[in-house]
Amino acid sequence: MRPYPRLAMLLVAALSLCGCALLPPLAAAPTPTTAPTLAPPTMAPLPTATPRPTSMPPTVAPPTVAPAIPAPDVPPPGQVLHTTEAFALALPARWKAVELDEGSFDYFLDSLAEENPELAGWAEGALDVETLAAMYQFYAMDSELAGRGYASANVLSQALPLPFGSEALCVSLPDAYAEMGLELVDATCGLEINGLDVARFTVRMPAATANTLQYQYAYLQERTMWMLTLAVVEDAWPDYEATFVEIAESFRLLD
């Protein structure tokens, strides 16, 4: 039996449903510490895309050390540092932090049934507003439109029953993606970012309005897993891939 399959699936579902990036433009430009509340839009359903599940073996990469920002309070040029009590993350200056409230999570769950019925069917018995609110730590969006949606970044944390390495995660998650109708495009484990053991997954989420591509980074430290999802509609992926990598490499835990 693969380790922690239920935990892995819960994390995947929560990250994916809130990474669809099909949201309204932001009306205000808050500071990194003051975020507006996200108001769900009304979305007209379009023809459903046919999922294209595949089975991709994970790629084991030699450990690499990603470029680190000089200090937790000094972001790279052209970026703004966003911090919580536990971590720091540098985003492009035009990206805005968004405070998710109960209405936001209700919208994510309701719209999932229209955008991806297969994932919605699995999530119905596993996720609710309270579960999502407890898991989510941070959400941000690009303020400029990308295709039919907006690029987004979200972070959640999850306590683990035992210490868990990136190689073990690369064994656990592929089956979870397949069961929920998500396409695992690539998996790389054994990365190192700012002293953390990291696995990275490239995932395609079929959706009625527009398919989404996502980077899902898992940062592991002892018995805690921090998951960062960077998502955008598939047509805009080439314009965002390098930016997503820079964002992921800026993630660091704060003492």
Side-chain angles (χ1 to χ4, degrees):
M1 179 180 295
R2 289 185 169 87
Y4 315 137
R6 180 70 176 179
L7 172 62
M9 292 173 70
L10 186 62
L11 290 170
V12 168
L15 285 163
S16 297
L17 72 92
C18 292
C20 63
L22 300 172
L23 299 171
L26 300 175
T31 64
T33 56
T34 304
T37 298
L38 180 64
T42 300
M43 298 175 60
L46 295 178
T48 303
T50 301
R52 297 171 291 173
T54 62
S55 178
M56 294 285 295
T59 301
V60 179
T64 59
V65 179
I69 54 178
D73 58 347
V74 181
Q79 298 190 10
V80 173
L81 194 70
H82 297 257
T83 61
T84 70
E85 293 182 356
F87 62 85
L89 187 69
L91 298 173
R94 75 187 191 197
W95 284 54
K96 309 302 176 186
V98 177
E99 182 178 349
L100 298 181
D101 58 15
E102 184 173 327
S104 303
F105 292 115
D106 280 330
Y107 165 69
F108 286 136
L109 290 170
D110 291 343
S111 63
L112 184 62
E114 296 180 0
E115 291 297 321
N116 189 312
E118 186 172 359
L119 180 57
W122 185 93
E124 183 177 359
L127 294 171
D128 52 33
V129 171
E130 290 75 17
T131 300
L132 287 172
M135 296 171 72
Y136 269 84
Q137 307 295 319
F138 180 78
Y139 193 93
M141 294 170 56
D142 190 352
S143 60
E144 294 188 8
L145 187 66
R148 302 194 62 173
Y150 295 83
S152 66
N154 66 75
V155 180
L156 61 78
S157 66
Q158 177 67 55
L160 303 174
L162 295 169
F164 202 44
S166 63
E167 289 82 1
L169 194 64
C170 280
V171 173
S172 297
L173 282 187
D175 287 347
Y177 288 119
E179 182 168 339
M180 288 180 286
L182 302 173
E183 181 183 348
L184 178 58
V185 178
D186 183 62
T188 303
C189 57
L191 300 174
E192 181 180 331
I193 295 177
N194 294 320
L196 298 171
D197 182 23
V198 180
R200 184 181 75 181
F201 304 92
T202 308
V203 181
R204 178 178 287 107
M205 176 180 170
T209 306
N211 289 354
T212 300
L213 274 180
Q214 308 175 2
Y215 270 149
Q216 296 187 348
Y217 281 79
Y219 306 86
L220 297 144
Q221 184 187 59
E222 299 178 354
R223 296 187 180 185
T224 303
M225 183 188 305
W226 300 89
M227 297 287 284
L228 165 66
T229 289
L230 300 151
V232 73
V233 291
E234 187 168 7
D235 289 346
W237 179 261
D239 298 327
Y240 280 85
E241 184 176 7
T243 298
F244 286 168
V245 172
E246 290 179 358
I247 292 172
E249 291 176 348
S250 76
F251 183 92
R252 62 172 67 244
L253 298 181
L254 303 178
D255 297 330

